[in-house]
Amino acid sequence: MDRSGLEPMTFLITGPTVVREGRAAILFPNANEVFYNPVQEFNRDLTCAVITEFARETLAQKGVRVVVPGERERVVVCVSENKESTDGQVVKDEEEDGLASISVGEQCQQGLRILEGLAASGLRSVRFALEVPGIRSITANDFSARAASLIARNANFNKVSHLLQASQRDASMLMYESRGRKERYDVIDLDPYGSPSPFLDAAVQAVGDGGLLCITCTDMAVMAGNSGETCYSKYGSVSIKAKFCHEMALRIILHSLDQRAAVYQRYIEPLLSVSVDFYIRVFIKVHTGQATVKNSASKQALVYNCIGCGTFHLQRMGKRTNQGKSMKYSAATGPPVQENCQHCGQKHQLGGPIWAEQLHDVPFVQKVLSAVSSNPTRFGTSKRIEGVLSMVTEELQDVPLYYTLDHLSSTVHCNTPSMLQFRSALLHAGHRVSLSHACKNAVKTDAPSRVMWDLVRCWEKINPVKRERLSETSPAFHILSTEPLLQACFDLREDANPQSRRRHLTRFQENPQANWGPKARAKAGGGLSSGLEDRRKRFQNKRKLQITDSAQLKNFPCKKFRKVGHTHTHTHTNLLQVTTLSASRGGLSL
């Protein structure tokens, strides 16, 4: 028996593969019996960086200073536009004096208790033990017996068994049994295959007061509007198809977490919320406080989105008014829109409720960014972390959702202005504007929708479209039929170009390899499911033999007549037979 309480893994598949990531070396079976996705290295790197800063803040209050390998001095990198600093300026913090030091790999009795509920191979937990200082214990749990055995084996292989314990339990039951104040975890990490919704209720109870929850959602098809009814059943919010769907997905999971926490007189504080690749990842603190929970309704909002032009409006679920020493709560008044859109005359679709408050704690994000920037060799994805977090610090924190520049232009069928031109026009008009890490062409601004469309109208006058080709019922016709009240100025401004763009940081990287995205779910026998292989053949490379001669396209039947067991020729033959029969019976006039 080892320290994890499990027997040594002598029955695992022979000939394992060693995968190295960060400072960890993980043994994997050759078959796909335990889930592993190398695409998520950025996710794991970012999580290590966030938990390190969380440990630094938490243990500093207990008189303990964490020591990170490769980090010589604390720095602060100023990237926000409102900071008076040069590009890449580094400002030294004061050294912490009189604090006991704790290094990576050392067990800290005052340190963090971490739970990884769905650990699979245990790679993430092993990396925590090897790369995050100030840890008391790590529980790496998985319901699979093979996964739990592999976790314990990897803990021994990396010599972190004194910190990491393997567990084979149902994740929800394990967290429900840890709801007591003394049994709660300081950090809970949930990175499931698909939706985390079955585990959220247990997670908000099992994390300590002021503890950290790290949640990943990979069911983006549901959260981005393809199945609004499924999203409601899982998260209590209706997702809609819109250009801002990726930020809305972040706000949907935050709404769900806050709603579930409120049941137990708890509330959330988002530290960092990111949408990257094919998933979203949120880092939140969970606090206890009956008085603060009353603010929950006023932090949620419904979304009215025009199906014609894409204009959106938010309707808060509740209203709170400050009356000196007390706070008055009441129902919100609305709706904020008419029956039809005031700009294009189309109907609205209703989504939400969503989290309408800030997505990030900017001071905390700046600490994480500073630590990563000052120690670039610590993570394999440091450049991307620096780029994403730089954009996060530049975002307007009090402005939910965003427009996209290409959609604004395509709505009226005109050429698209450059991002700098449009941002400059908003700044000339006296409004704030920022980009968004969730979308490359995003325009996040506090300008009302009327100003946005006035800018589009002014741009269309410079780059006119053929009005005679527009349908009178189209959104473009309605929008362009109204004269702008604002005279836009598209002259470039220096402050229209954000620091992250000037410094050419890695913000939206291209996919580094083919088939970049979610991997197949692991199964007991290894390999991929036949259903997944069939879907790949059906939806990718439909025509294995590429057509070079356009005349050969006639051999392909029309989709309208494509049926099982019938061809294009059979369909027309049957139609001819029916016509002949009807004519012979006198049922058809020739």
Side-chain angles (χ1 to χ4, degrees):
M1 296 286 288
D2 58 16
R3 296 187 184 184
S4 65
L6 297 176
E7 293 289 341
M9 272 45 64
T10 57
F11 57 86
L12 281 179
I13 297 177
T14 59
T17 301
V18 177
V19 176
R20 298 186 182 278
E21 182 181 295
R23 304 184 68 181
I26 302 298
L27 300 174
F28 277 96
N30 289 330
N32 186 37
E33 296 183 351
V34 177
F35 183 80
Y36 167 69
N37 189 356
V39 175
Q40 297 256 25
E41 181 181 0
F42 173 82
N43 185 331
R44 291 183 281 268
D45 285 352
L46 181 61
T47 303
C48 289
V50 170
I51 295 181
T52 298
E53 291 308 307
F54 177 76
R56 195 192 304 275
E57 289 185 353
T58 303
L59 296 184
Q61 300 173 2
K62 300 178 181 180
V64 179
R65 179 169 61 91
V66 300
V67 179
V68 179
E71 185 177 275
R72 297 180 180 178
E73 55 188 10
R74 296 287 292 136
V75 297
V76 176
V77 180
C78 301
V79 296
S80 300
E81 298 177 21
N82 57 357
K83 303 275 186 179
E84 295 182 0
S85 62
T86 58
D87 294 355
Q89 178 179 355
V90 178
V91 183
K92 296 182 181 179
D93 270 353
E94 296 182 358
E95 292 286 341
E96 299 117 325
D97 296 326
L99 299 180
S101 298
I102 190 73
S103 300
V104 169
E106 298 178 357
Q107 189 173 30
C108 178
Q109 295 301 323
Q110 297 176 297
L112 305 179
R113 295 180 63 244
I114 302 177
L115 168 66
E116 185 184 3
L118 309 162
S121 65
L123 169 59
R124 190 181 299 255
S125 293
V126 171
R127 289 196 58 185
F128 291 164
L130 293 173
E131 301 178 32
V132 179
I135 293 178
R136 179 181 175 186
S137 65
I138 302 173
T139 302
N141 176 77
D142 200 283
F143 189 70
S144 167
R146 289 183 177 270
S149 301
L150 188 59
I151 292 169
R153 183 180 186 182
N154 283 324
N156 291 330
F157 186 73
N158 288 271
K159 296 180 175 58
V160 292
S161 297
H162 61 292
L163 291 176
L164 195 157
Q165 294 183 344
S167 169
Q168 184 193 347
R169 298 284 306 280
D170 177 88
S172 294
M173 293 305 300
L174 177 60
M175 289 186 286
Y176 278 130
E177 293 175 1
S178 304
R179 292 176 294 175
R181 292 184 181 273
K182 295 183 179 180
E183 290 79 25
R184 289 175 179 172
Y185 293 94
D186 300 296
V187 180
I188 295 180
D189 189 302
L190 296 176
D191 189 2
Y193 187 94
S195 173
S197 58
F199 311 102
L200 298 183
D201 182 76
V204 296
Q205 299 181 69
V207 68
D209 196 14
L212 179 65
L213 274 184
C214 314
I215 310 291
T216 300
C217 303
T218 58
D219 55 335
M220 290 304 295
V222 171
M223 303 190 74
N226 284 356
S227 302
E229 68 285 351
T230 304
C231 185
Y232 181 80
S233 65
K234 291 184 176 182
Y235 302 103
S237 178
V238 177
S239 60
I240 57 178
K241 286 187 177 181
K243 294 297 181 180
F244 48 74
C245 61
H246 291 97
E247 182 178 324
M248 186 171 180
L250 288 171
R251 297 184 178 278
I252 285 175
I253 183 61
L254 291 177
H255 157 76
S256 183
L257 286 165
D258 186 69
Q259 188 178 47
R260 296 170 196 246
V263 175
Y264 309 103
Q265 303 301 312
R266 313 193 82 182
Y267 62 94
I268 68 170
E269 177 192 355
L271 297 181
L272 175 62
S273 310
V274 292
S275 171
V276 291
D277 296 331
F278 53 87
Y279 62 90
I280 58 176
R281 178 76 163 167
V282 295
F283 302 88
I284 66 168
K285 280 185 177 181
V286 179
H287 302 279
T288 304
Q290 183 177 4
T292 309
V293 169
K294 295 182 179 180
N295 299 330
S296 179
S298 59
K299 296 178 181 178
Q300 322 299 324
L302 296 173
V303 181
Y304 289 84
N305 178 239
C306 175
I307 61 176
C309 64
T311 302
F312 61 87
H313 299 271
L314 267 64
Q315 169 66 65
R316 295 276 180 161
M317 299 288 291
K319 180 181 178 181
R320 67 177 186 264
T321 306
N322 192 348
Q323 294 183 337
K325 296 183 179 180
S326 62
M327 191 75 68
K328 180 181 179 181
Y329 300 92
S330 59
T333 57
V337 297
Q338 300 175 356
E339 182 178 358
N340 295 326
C341 176
Q342 59 178 326
H343 304 293
C344 69
Q346 300 291 321
K347 296 288 186 179
H348 294 90
Q349 58 179 344
L350 185 62
I354 63 172
W355 176 262
E357 296 294 307
Q358 295 185 358
L359 294 176
H360 323 285
D361 181 355
V362 175
F364 179 83
V365 175
Q366 287 177 336
K367 292 179 181 179
V368 179
L369 174 59
S370 301
V372 174
S373 301
S374 63
N375 193 5
T377 60
R378 184 184 178 194
F379 302 117
T381 61
S382 291
K383 290 185 177 180
R384 191 182 184 193
I385 292 177
E386 184 179 358
V388 171
L389 296 188
S390 296
M391 291 198 69
V392 164
T393 61
E394 294 170 348
E395 290 181 4
L396 294 178
Q397 300 301 318
D398 57 342
V399 178
L401 307 182
Y402 52 78
Y403 294 92
T404 58
L405 189 56
D406 54 342
H407 182 261
L408 291 172
S409 301
S410 64
T411 300
V412 297
H413 308 293
C414 73
N415 295 334
T416 304
S418 70
M419 181 62 73
L420 292 183
Q421 286 177 313
F422 202 82
R423 285 171 56 91
S424 297
L426 284 167
L427 293 172
H428 281 302
H431 298 284
R432 296 179 297 146
V433 61
S434 76
L435 300 175
S436 171
H437 79 278
C439 180
K440 186 175 183 179
N441 297 322
V443 179
K444 184 183 283 285
T445 178
D446 60 352
S449 57
R450 174 188 57 79
V451 172
M452 297 293 290
W453 290 117
D454 274 354
L455 296 182
V456 174
R457 295 184 185 103
C458 293
W459 178 256
E460 189 274 335
K461 290 183 180 297
I462 303 174
N463 303 270
V465 301
K466 295 181 179 181
R467 303 286 184 96
E468 62 274 7
R469 294 188 177 182
L470 300 179
S471 171
E472 294 184 359
T473 59
S474 66
F477 182 85
H478 283 274
I479 292 172
L480 296 179
S481 297
T482 304
E483 287 296 319
L485 300 178
L486 172 70
Q487 296 303 317
C489 176
F490 293 96
D491 295 340
L492 296 185
R493 290 176 50 143
E494 184 178 356
D495 55 348
N497 196 11
Q499 289 281 358
S500 61
R501 196 170 182 269
R502 295 181 194 175
R503 297 169 58 194
H504 304 287
L505 299 178
T506 304
R507 301 177 301 162
F508 303 97
Q509 73 171 18
E510 296 182 359
N511 293 344
Q513 63 187 31
N515 301 321
W516 182 262
K519 303 302 180 184
R521 185 190 298 269
K523 67 175 187 177
L528 301 181
S529 64
S530 58
L532 179 61
E533 293 292 347
D534 293 341
R535 288 197 298 273
R536 284 181 174 176
K537 293 179 180 179
R538 187 163 60 249
F539 295 120
Q540 295 183 13
N541 299 327
K542 292 183 178 180
R543 294 174 183 170
K544 298 298 181 182
L545 300 178
Q546 296 298 323
I547 301 300
T548 57
D549 185 6
S550 59
Q552 299 180 22
L553 292 174
K554 295 182 180 180
N555 297 329
F556 286 87
C558 176
K559 291 183 179 180
K560 183 176 181 181
F561 297 102
R562 185 179 297 171
K563 294 182 180 180
V564 178
H566 297 280
T567 63
H568 187 62
T569 306
H570 291 166
T571 303
H572 282 279
T573 302
N574 295 339
L575 181 61
L576 181 60
Q577 292 175 353
V578 173
T579 304
T580 305
L581 180 62
S582 300
S584 63
R585 293 181 178 180
L588 182 65
S589 300
L590 300 177

